[in-house]
Amino acid sequence: LRSRRMAVAAALTLALITAVFVATSIAGARASWSEDMADASNDAFYARVAQGREKVLMGSNISDIQRRTRRPIVLNGVWIDALPYVPEAAAGINRALGALYGTDLLHPPPDSLEGFGSLPVDTARTLWEQRSIDEWRRLGREWHFDQVVTYEEWALPLPKVATGHGFALFVIPPQ
């Protein structure tokens, strides 16, 4: 009788632990799913990015803006490792890297592109924070972008119009 009570108690304890584990897993999955599914239709930050008219310039290794906003982008710094599959794009990408990010595929800074196939997080941060508004306007005209998305802590000399998900949205002001 005693061993039977022990078995029932162990089974109930296991059932309780399993129920708590499943409940917390579901709650975590819902929160993760909600963040993963955020886009211009259900999120204020992405909706504001979606309002632009031209391309979006993204800071260093920021990804997913295009998918979440359905906006064209200038360059995705996360996909630099795709160049071996489309080598004919290398010259154009290198031109964009030089003009926009201040880096070069053929002569990268020592910490750049090291085994990751993407731009490091702070690539161009100093350059972007020091550019004048007129320089941003010129680049926007040349590369056809009207918005810039960076990490939230970056301080560009452009109007910051939205923040969210650790990002900041800046706009190129008209002249």
Side-chain angles (χ1 to χ4, degrees):
L1 184 64
R2 182 178 152 111
S3 64
R4 187 173 190 163
R5 281 188 205 162
M6 295 276 287
V8 169
L12 288 174
T13 302
L14 182 60
L16 180 62
I17 290 171
T18 302
V20 168
F21 175 76
V22 168
T24 57
S25 294
I26 289 171
R30 278 194 185 134
S32 176
W33 180 85
S34 174
E35 175 66 23
D36 287 346
M37 298 306 291
D39 65 18
S41 72
N42 60 19
D43 181 88
F45 175 75
Y46 294 123
R48 182 63 179 93
V49 177
Q51 293 173 0
R53 295 175 182 224
E54 296 194 56
K55 296 175 190 172
V56 179
L57 177 64
M58 299 184 305
S60 59
N61 67 352
I62 295 173
S63 186
D64 244 11
I65 296 297
Q66 186 175 29
R67 177 180 68 87
R68 294 177 188 276
T69 64
R70 301 294 185 235
R71 290 283 311 287
I73 59 174
V74 178
L75 177 71
N76 190 330
V78 174
W79 297 343
I80 302 298
D81 61 351
L83 279 175
Y85 301 102
V86 281
E88 57 274 4
I93 289 175
N94 201 42
R95 187 171 153 261
L97 286 173
L100 301 170
Y101 297 88
T103 191
D104 184 333
L105 288 172
L106 302 176
H107 306 95
D111 64 338
S112 183
L113 306 171
E114 280 188 7
F116 296 108
S118 64
L119 297 173
V121 173
D122 283 331
T123 299
R125 180 178 182 174
T126 302
L127 175 66
W128 287 19
E129 290 177 341
Q130 292 175 352
R131 278 191 175 135
S132 69
I133 291 178
D134 286 336
E135 180 71 5
W136 278 111
R137 285 184 181 126
R138 183 189 66 73
L139 289 168
R141 282 190 308 272
E142 182 180 341
W143 292 91
H144 308 285
F145 65 89
D146 60 355
Q147 296 176 324
V148 181
V149 174
T150 68
Y151 291 101
E152 200 166 2
E153 61 274 8
W154 290 27
L156 275 53
L158 297 170
K160 184 189 288 189
V161 296
T163 58
H165 308 281
F167 303 126
L169 172 65
F170 297 88
V171 295
I172 309 294
Q175 281 188 302

